């Protein structure tokens, strides 16, 4: 795909706390699966949640980043666990959404031959375009057919195995998508180590920039 932004420019917009807790700042501030955020920031314009597991749906972290007009975007399995006082947008998979200054598509996220993330729960990854940069945030998924044709400038991929795809599958799909930037996530907590992240980085196509955050 056409590299519309250089890698450094993309990386300057990203911060990762741990696990799959991602923050993107580009005129607006978006958090994905905020987890283990101890300090009060209250700066989120949007919070996107992929599914209801404890390391992705962390109410304490949400309260530390939410502000009066924050919108929480999430599938039904998450929405039903949120306080009714939150501003929410309940989404479904395989849909396109456009509002304000961003557009996104919901991508299925599930396990194959494992029961941790069943397809029928409709866990949701996000393909989001913000100021002409497209980011793919997958949630906890295996290497499934639905992600093989994704086009994105920056992708975040789980590498820990057990509950998600492993490092080998993450490398395989990253090299198929061939983004400007690929970042390993979902390791270093329950499963996976920095050694897996280093493997991921070392086996990417040479033109892909990779940054290890933790």
């Amino acid at each position: 795909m056409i590299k519309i932004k250089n890698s450094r420019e993309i990386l300057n917009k990203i911060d990762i706390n741990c696990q799959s807790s991602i923050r993107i700042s580009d005129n607006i501030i978006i958090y994905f699966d905020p987890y283990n955020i101890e300090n009060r920031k209250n700066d989120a314009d949007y919070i996107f949640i992929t599914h209801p597991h404890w390391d992705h749906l962390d109410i304490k972290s949400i309260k530390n980043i939410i502000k009066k007009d924050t919108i929480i975007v999430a599938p039904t399995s998450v929405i039903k666990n949120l306080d009714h006082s939150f501003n929410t947008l309940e989404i479904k998979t395989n849909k396109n959404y456009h509002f304000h200054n961003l557009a996104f598509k919901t991508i299925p996220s599930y396990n194959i031959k494992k029961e941790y993330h069943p397809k029928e729960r409709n866990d949701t990854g996000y393909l989001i375009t913000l100021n002409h940069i497209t980011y793919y945030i997958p949630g906890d998924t295996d290497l499934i057919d639905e992600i093989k044709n994704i086009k994105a400038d920056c992708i975040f991929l789980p590498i820990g195995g057990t509950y998600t795809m492993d490092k080998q599958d993450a490398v395989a799909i990253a090299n198929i998508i061939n983004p400007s930037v690929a970042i390993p996530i979902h390791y270093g907590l329950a499963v996976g180590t920095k050694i897996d992240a280093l493997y991921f980085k070392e086996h990417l196509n040479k033109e892909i920039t990779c940054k290890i955050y933790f």
Side-chain angles (χ1 to χ4, degrees):
M1 68 182 304
I2 298 172
K3 304 292 194 287
I4 61 173
K5 294 286 184 179
N6 66 49
S7 299
R8 181 178 297 178
E9 192 171 355
I10 293 173
L11 290 170
N12 284 341
K13 304 175 189 299
I14 296 168
D15 190 27
I16 299 183
N17 180 39
C18 65
Q19 192 68 337
S20 303
S21 181
I22 300 163
R23 180 182 186 270
I24 298 175
S25 176
D26 192 353
N27 294 326
I28 60 174
I29 295 174
I30 305 176
Y31 287 83
F32 297 88
D33 291 345
Y35 171 71
N36 197 31
I37 298 174
E38 299 292 338
N39 298 323
R40 295 188 67 85
K41 300 176 182 292
N42 303 114
D43 60 350
D45 293 299
Y46 298 94
I47 300 170
F48 284 72
I49 309 293
T50 61
H51 67 287
H53 286 171
W54 58 271
D55 54 332
H56 297 260
L57 176 56
D58 178 3
I59 300 300
K60 181 180 178 181
S61 290
I62 288 174
K63 290 181 176 179
N64 280 337
I65 62 175
I66 203 167
K67 56 184 181 177
K68 184 177 180 180
D69 59 349
T70 302
I71 298 174
I72 300 176
V73 180
T76 302
S77 60
V78 171
I79 296 292
K80 67 183 182 181
N81 289 294
L82 296 177
D83 190 294
H84 293 303
S85 65
F86 293 147
N87 299 316
T88 61
L89 173 64
E90 186 172 351
I91 51 83
K92 299 184 181 300
T93 56
N94 286 315
K95 299 289 184 181
N96 290 291
Y97 295 84
H98 301 265
F99 56 96
H100 302 310
N101 48 356
L102 73 149
F104 66 92
K105 181 178 181 179
T106 52
I107 308 294
S109 178
Y110 60 89
N111 288 141
I112 302 170
K113 299 180 180 179
K114 293 182 283 191
E115 298 180 353
Y116 304 112
H117 305 91
K119 185 175 183 179
E120 58 270 20
R121 191 172 61 196
N122 294 314
D123 294 349
T124 307
Y126 299 99
L127 188 67
I128 183 166
T129 301
L130 181 62
N131 291 328
H132 307 293
I133 298 174
T134 300
Y135 304 86
Y136 172 53
I137 298 88
D140 286 2
T141 188
D142 285 333
L143 204 177
I144 56 177
D145 289 340
E146 291 90 335
I147 67 177
K148 292 179 179 178
N149 294 317
I150 281 175
K151 302 296 182 184
D153 303 292
C154 178
I155 62 175
F156 304 82
L157 292 175
I159 63 168
T162 305
Y163 307 105
T164 69
M165 69 178 80
D166 58 20
K167 60 190 177 185
Q168 289 90 355
D169 280 348
V171 166
I173 191 60
N175 287 338
I176 290 171
I177 297 173
N178 198 38
S180 294
V181 175
I183 298 172
I185 56 172
H186 207 278
Y187 67 93
L189 188 61
V191 294
T193 68
K194 190 172 182 178
I195 293 174
D196 298 313
L198 291 169
Y199 175 96
F200 176 80
K201 183 176 183 178
E202 290 167 2
H203 289 80
L204 292 174
N205 294 340
K206 292 182 179 180
E207 63 268 28
I208 300 174
T209 297
C210 177
K211 181 174 179 179
I212 296 173
Y213 283 81
F214 54 94

